[in-house]
Amino acid sequence: MTEKIVQSDPDCIFCKIVAGLIPSKVVYQDEELFVFNDIHPWAPVHFLVIPKMHIPSMAQIGPEHAGLLGRMMTLAPQLAVQEGCNPYPDGGFRMLCNTGAQGGQEVHHLHIHVMGGPRPWLKG
Ligand code: AMP
Ligand code: ZN
């Protein structure tokens, strides 16, 4: 299934967060990325890295998104430390990207979960 990629989807909860229509605890933002705390954290540190542009999931990703994904992936470790994850190798963090219903995706705006901090965690 191919879905059209639009800049912003008025029905998307994460697009509304990017637009400031739904409040969030903002961790970081720049021209193309937005990072905020997960409302139901699984771990002491749990934030979501998203593109400001509405891309539904990893299933819509193509070669043209390599730069964007690279920036998401390289930003995450910096913010993990900033947000309180302990240093590698004894600390560390988990990065997770659910895709589609069978992949456990509930919000259909691409996001990378970043989780860390002392265990036990609620999940994961
Ligand atoms: P996923 O199952 O990968 O689609 O995860 C969606 C995540 O978005 C879940 O961990 C939710 O807790 C989180 N979430 C949903 N609504 C909000 C919100 N308004 N603010 C912050 N996080 C949210
Ligand atoms: Zn969206």
Side-chain angles (χ1 to χ4, degrees):
M1 183 177 64
T2 329
E3 287 175 53
K4 190 163 173 279
I5 293 175
V6 291
Q7 202 63 32
S8 180
D9 178 343
D11 299 324
C12 169
I13 185 167
F14 284 1
C15 285
K16 288 180 187 170
I17 286 176
V18 169
L21 300 171
I22 294 176
S24 68
K25 171 73 185 28
V26 182
V27 171
Y28 171 91
Q29 64 173 316
D30 60 27
E31 267 187 13
E32 63 179 351
L33 303 181
F34 196 87
V35 183
F36 56 103
N37 281 338
D38 197 292
I39 204 165
H40 295 126
W42 303 2
V45 177
H46 187 173
F47 57 85
L48 305 173
V49 180
I50 73 170
K52 285 187 170 175
M53 180 173 73
H54 182 81
I55 300 172
S57 80
M58 282 299 293
Q60 286 75 32
I61 289 298
E64 68 275 22
H65 300 113
L68 175 72
L69 280 182
R71 286 187 283 280
M72 291 170 72
M73 295 292 279
T74 52
L75 178 62
Q78 296 175 28
L79 295 181
V81 171
Q82 177 190 300
E83 292 305 297
C85 293
N86 293 311
Y88 174 91
D90 295 328
F93 49 88
R94 170 168 291 184
M95 292 169 68
L96 179 70
C97 187
N98 299 323
T99 305
Q102 293 182 348
Q105 185 178 10
E106 290 178 359
V107 177
H108 289 261
H109 179 129
L110 179 64
H111 54 279
I112 300 174
H113 294 259
V114 183
M115 291 161 274
R119 287 180 179 270
W121 295 354
L122 203 58
K123 284 199 274 181

